[in-house]
Amino acid sequence: MESGKPANRGRARSPGDVLETPLTKRFGLHYPFVSAGMAFVALPELVSAVSNVGGLGVLGATPEPACALRARIHQIRALTPKPFGVDFVHDVGAMGPFVTAAHIGVCAAERVPLVVFHLNLPDIQFVIDLSDAGIEVWFQTGDASQAAQAIALGVTGIVAQGEEAGGHNNSVVRSEDAFRAIRAVAPTNVLVLWAGGIADGPTAAAALQAGADGVWVGTRMVATHEAYAHSTYKARILDVTSSSETTFTTMFGPEYPGGRQRVLCNDVVRQFAGREATIPDSGSPAAIGRTVLFPGVGDLAVAMPKFSALVPIPDTIGDFEQMNMPAGGMSAKRVDTVEPAAEVVVSMMERARAILEAELETDTNTEA
């Protein structure tokens, strides 16, 4: 899927017929497109924009409290009547668990269509409570063995995350290898999505041609008008010309120590990525900026210490060369414009449709 930056696409075409897969049939979607539930960035405006155009928008719920989650769900429902999801990092941070029984209770009471867990297997009671409420439960992983365990717990979909994907990512294999290994262990009634390196029509078409039920798209969606990311963060994605301009690191996170992420290379990443053990223990590090937690539902102003895991949002001020900017390099190098999310979804999926139809016509003519 390697390629350089595309030329400007212009405005998206109008949606054609449904690009049908088991994912679109299960959720009543127009496109087998799911926007990643990115913490801090995937808030109601992005979620609703994707869902309204026929994809499936997913809210990045972590690390907001359950009351804020309920408010976000209500905001989404005020913006779209379409299906959407909620994504949780299932892990423990400096302040405790990111997802609790209270969060699950909110999702169950609100009857959200989908809940996605990431990193660690969900508690069996979480799966039971959500399933009893009629909610689809997915799990994101790059490991086929972990995927099989999640399926045994009752999840109905796996997001197969390869090492190309940005953000928190424990995968050690390419997206294609992760997808094929997970597809091999998943029953036919379990959806398997491709995550990592999807940023345009050709990459989406390749994933669908390989048998993916849908594509899970993160980095490309950061560079949209509706994403709640700082303009500097979006601009730096546009500046990427090579996948080597992102890397893995565990440096970010007094709030979430040890979390492995693929991020954009700025000054602090170039200094310490791969050399995290050399980071000096300076006690309480000086602030690198300020930001706002729970924007729009809590608006809590906080200082950002050096190596903060918090992602720069429009409310953030400070030294961006010291901040955490998650991104996948293979996707970022294909992104050259910040566009409305709806245009990204339609242009990507209509281009994917054209590629798939051309391949089908070629195969048919060859057989004839």
Side-chain angles (χ1 to χ4, degrees):
M1 289 189 179
E2 289 280 346
S3 69
K5 291 257 187 188
N8 288 345
R9 291 177 297 277
R11 294 190 64 82
R13 290 184 286 167
S14 298
D17 295 334
V18 172
L19 185 52
E20 190 172 272
T21 72
L23 171 66
T24 62
K25 289 189 277 190
R26 187 172 298 185
F27 286 91
L29 308 178
H30 198 90
Y31 295 118
F33 180 106
V34 184
S35 63
M38 301 171 286
F40 309 108
V41 171
L43 296 187
E45 290 76 14
L46 179 58
V47 175
S48 59
V50 172
S51 291
N52 278 333
V53 79
L56 187 64
V58 178
L59 174 71
T62 305
E64 296 187 331
C67 58
L69 172 61
R70 188 185 301 275
R72 299 283 189 216
I73 292 170
H74 290 176
Q75 289 172 342
I76 293 168
R77 288 216 162 103
L79 294 169
T80 182
K82 302 293 185 65
F84 64 94
V86 173
D87 187 284
F88 295 110
V89 171
H90 192 222
D91 210 344
V92 178
M95 301 300 290
F98 290 134
V99 55
T100 67
H103 292 92
I104 301 305
V106 166
C107 290
E110 296 292 338
R111 296 293 197 272
V112 301
L114 168 70
V115 167
V116 186
F117 294 98
H118 186 201
L119 291 183
N120 293 308
L121 291 168
D123 299 359
I124 182 61
Q125 194 60 51
F126 289 177
V127 178
I128 291 171
D129 291 348
L130 293 168
S131 299
D132 286 349
I135 297 169
E136 295 268 347
V137 183
W138 293 358
F139 180 60
Q140 182 174 187
T141 181
D143 181 79
S145 175
Q146 193 179 41
Q149 294 176 64
I151 292 166
L153 290 174
V155 306
T156 54
I158 300 291
V159 179
Q161 183 188 47
E163 63 183 1
E164 298 95 323
H168 285 99
N169 184 345
N170 288 334
S171 184
V172 295
V173 298
R174 297 182 311 145
S175 296
E176 180 176 1
D177 295 332
F179 170 77
R180 293 190 186 282
I182 290 170
R183 179 77 278 175
V185 302
T188 56
N189 65 327
V190 172
L191 299 173
V192 181
L193 283 73
W194 183 304
I198 307 297
D200 56 14
T203 50
L208 296 172
Q209 183 65 33
D213 295 310
V215 292
W216 176 274
V217 184
T219 301
R220 180 63 190 94
M221 303 312 291
V222 177
T224 61
H225 294 327
E226 294 85 353
Y228 204 71
H230 196 281
S231 58
T232 298
Y233 181 9
K234 296 180 185 184
R236 295 203 177 188
I237 289 176
L238 269 57
D239 288 341
V240 171
T241 59
S242 168
S243 57
S244 64
E245 293 172 54
T246 69
T247 191
F248 280 114
T249 184
T250 58
M251 75 177 69
F252 291 112
E255 307 91 347
Y256 183 19
R260 180 178 185 255
Q261 295 188 72
R262 182 176 286 282
V263 299
L264 294 172
C265 293
N266 55 8
D267 284 354
V268 72
V269 172
R270 283 186 287 269
Q271 182 177 2
F272 289 112
R275 297 182 293 277
E276 287 84 357
T278 69
I279 294 174
D281 183 4
S282 58
S284 298
I288 59 170
R290 295 191 64 80
T291 193
V292 172
L293 295 179
F294 327 132
V297 295
D299 297 308
L300 176 64
V302 296
M304 299 173 70
K306 191 174 178 67
F307 306 114
S308 174
L310 301 178
V311 171
I313 61 175
D315 313 275
T316 303
I317 58 172
D319 185 356
F320 293 92
E321 289 297 332
Q322 300 294 314
M323 293 187 188
N324 174 29
M325 289 181 271
M330 288 185 66
S331 294
K333 72 177 188 175
R334 294 182 173 89
V335 180
D336 65 341
T337 55
V338 176
E339 301 179 60
E343 292 188 15
V344 171
V345 175
V346 175
S347 62
M348 183 186 298
M349 301 314 291
E350 289 299 325
R351 176 60 178 148
R353 180 205 304 280
I355 292 170
L356 294 171
E357 289 176 348
E359 290 177 353
L360 178 61
E361 182 176 354
T362 299
D363 290 344
T364 300
N365 290 338
T366 301
E367 291 173 2

